[in-house]
Amino acid sequence: MVPESEDWGEELAGLKQAGLLRTPVIAEAAQGPMIQIEGTYYHNYSSNDYLGLADHSAVKEAAIHAVERYGVGSGASRLVSGTLPPHAKLEEQLADFKGTDRALTFSSGYATAMGVIPALAGAGDVILLDKLAHACLIDAAKLSKAKLRVFAHNNMAQLEERLAWARREHPAARVLIVTESVFSMDGDFSALPEIVMLKQRYGAGLLLDEAHGVGVFGPGGRGLANELGLAAAVDYHMGTLSKALGASGGYVAASAGAIEWILNKARSFIYSTAPTPASAAAARRALEISDSLLGDQLRRQLRANHAAFVEQWNGKVSWSGSFTPIIPVVVGDNEAAMEAAKSLRLKGFFLPAIRFPTVPKGSARLRVSFSALHDCSATQSLSKVIIELMDKS
């Protein structure tokens, strides 16, 4: 037991010495292609606001209208008196957007995972998880008390070994494969066609987290599974409302029976105050924009910024070769990554260093994330500066 008078100075000093101490910065203006910190503006390549909707006038107007009509807070959990019309309408819209019977929303993507995965699998069941899956998926799988087996990132031979083991050793178990469509720190795709083939062969369920895919891929921004024509093969579509959609919250979309079960079993849904009506209304408007001609235009602009960044590389930066809104520039050493981030900031670009435990040890990096609102000339300048830094290292 830690005494109440415990001084955490020694532990914090250890983090600092290892280059792992984290300190939040205060962004003094709305999210956008520029970020204001301590009175200075920087080109912001750190945000997940891929379509630039976090400060969009129509999205803000929807949130303001919801506040005026329903107030600031929801007042209670969803199963008491906290479900308001914006919540119900958002869930109907999400189900239609994802092509499922129903959808259920949560206060965050993390809360979604922590509620959904333990509701779907428990003691005696098996969860098979990609090694590079997001922390929320890892934590939720551990919380579920299911037997957890990790397969190497996108290693389909190992996934099949795990599936065969599960069916042989635990024939009565529910088997759930959990992966992402776009991996948040590496910016690469899951091997979704192969995963679908294996899940069907072995009779497993599939939960796909489209946190970084929705808004960016597929017709109307419906996600990578829709783009590949595999949406119907995904049992549980998970995602966030806080990245390309610019609002806040998370969701799961699935069959009517699955949603009814999750609604009754997901502790992070049952025991949390409902998300604000403003966030639900904002997400609804963002979905409408994503599924419109404007959404298509924003996705084209997003791709143009990606192209402006990579066209100057000449093989100097490791990259999967496909378009995603995320490109990692792996530096390796924690201190070196932090120094690179400082150098970029002096040049007018904000990209914090990403370090362990967010990424594996020895793979500290700069995570470049693009917005449709970035100026292509600024993106080209960023690319040149990063290449110069790498040439010096």
Side-chain angles (χ1 to χ4, degrees):
M1 177 179 286
V2 178
E4 290 186 7
S5 60
E6 179 72 47
D7 182 358
W8 296 99
E10 185 176 340
E11 287 80 1
L12 289 169
L15 287 177
K16 186 174 182 179
Q17 186 174 3
L20 296 175
L21 188 67
R22 288 161 168 78
T23 304
V25 298
I26 298 175
E28 298 165 345
Q31 282 290 326
M34 302 294 292
I35 188 170
Q36 183 181 10
I37 302 170
E38 297 178 351
T40 301
Y41 280 92
Y42 303 90
H43 294 283
N44 181 18
Y45 286 85
S46 68
S47 173
N48 298 318
D49 183 26
Y50 303 130
L51 297 185
L53 298 182
D55 194 39
H56 192 282
S57 58
V59 177
K60 291 192 293 185
E61 183 180 344
I64 291 167
H65 178 72
V67 169
E68 290 174 342
R69 184 166 184 180
Y70 301 106
V72 175
S74 297
S77 69
R78 290 284 305 277
L79 295 180
V80 180
S81 61
T83 296
L84 300 171
H87 301 126
K89 291 176 182 177
L90 173 60
E91 288 169 350
E92 291 173 6
Q93 191 171 341
L94 278 165
D96 180 69
F97 187 73
K98 298 299 290 184
T100 61
D101 296 335
R102 290 180 62 184
L104 192 67
T105 54
F106 293 73
S107 58
S108 69
Y110 198 100
T112 305
M114 297 301 281
V116 170
I117 292 176
L120 296 177
D125 296 324
V126 176
I127 293 175
L128 305 178
L129 183 70
D130 190 291
K131 187 175 182 179
L132 295 187
H134 190 271
C136 70
L137 303 175
I138 297 169
D139 293 350
K142 291 178 178 178
L143 181 66
S144 74
K145 299 182 181 177
K147 293 177 177 64
L148 173 61
R149 295 292 183 273
V150 173
F151 59 94
H153 179 51
N154 275 343
N155 187 321
M156 294 298 99
Q158 196 169 84
L159 173 58
E160 184 163 20
E161 287 176 8
R162 302 284 193 265
L163 284 163
W165 164 84
R167 285 300 175 218
R168 182 178 65 251
E169 300 296 328
H170 305 280
R174 291 190 185 97
V175 179
L176 181 66
I177 302 169
V178 177
T179 190
E180 301 181 51
S181 62
V182 179
F183 286 84
S184 60
M185 289 298 129
D186 288 74
D188 62 341
F189 296 125
S190 68
L192 194 57
E194 294 85 354
I195 291 172
V196 165
M197 180 184 68
L198 289 173
K199 88 106 180 177
Q200 291 173 339
R201 180 182 300 167
Y202 288 91
L206 173 59
L207 183 146
L208 181 67
D209 184 358
E210 290 258 33
H212 298 272
V214 162
V216 179
F217 300 103
R222 283 169 172 77
L224 184 65
N226 288 71
E227 180 163 306
L228 298 177
L230 297 171
V234 176
D235 301 283
Y236 312 101
H237 299 262
M238 180 182 148
T240 68
L241 306 167
S242 57
K243 294 180 172 60
L245 298 178
S248 66
Y251 68 86
V252 61
S255 67
I259 295 300
E260 191 70 14
W261 175 257
I262 293 166
L263 182 151
N264 280 276
K265 299 299 288 187
R267 294 173 68 85
S268 60
F269 176 84
I270 297 168
Y271 299 109
S272 290
T273 297
T276 66
S279 65
R284 286 193 67 214
R285 186 67 186 99
L287 276 171
E288 291 170 0
I289 293 173
S290 179
D291 195 18
S292 71
L293 291 176
L294 174 57
D296 291 339
Q297 178 186 336
L298 292 171
R299 280 183 283 277
R300 286 194 295 271
Q301 291 171 205
L302 182 62
R303 286 176 178 269
N305 265 293
H306 179 278
F309 185 84
V310 301
E311 66 186 7
Q312 306 173 69
W313 282 6
N314 297 321
K316 290 183 179 291
V317 181
S318 175
W319 171 50
S320 66
S322 300
F323 163 73
T324 73
I326 303 157
I327 290 181
V329 180
V330 178
V331 178
D333 178 73
N334 293 330
E335 292 293 345
M338 293 173 70
E339 284 301 315
K342 288 180 184 177
S343 297
L344 286 171
R345 191 160 166 180
L346 290 173
K347 299 276 190 179
F349 298 98
F350 184 69
L351 283 90
I354 307 295
R355 295 157 285 156
F356 178 81
T358 307
V359 295
K361 289 180 179 179
S363 67
R365 67 196 61 188
L366 304 172
R367 176 184 180 272
V368 184
S369 55
F370 301 100
S371 167
L373 301 188
H374 282 138
D375 182 80
C376 281
S377 63
T379 302
Q380 290 172 330
S381 296
L382 171 64
S383 183
K384 291 176 183 176
V385 171
I386 289 178
I387 290 171
E388 290 171 3
L389 286 174
M390 294 189 70
D391 285 342
K392 292 176 182 178
S393 62

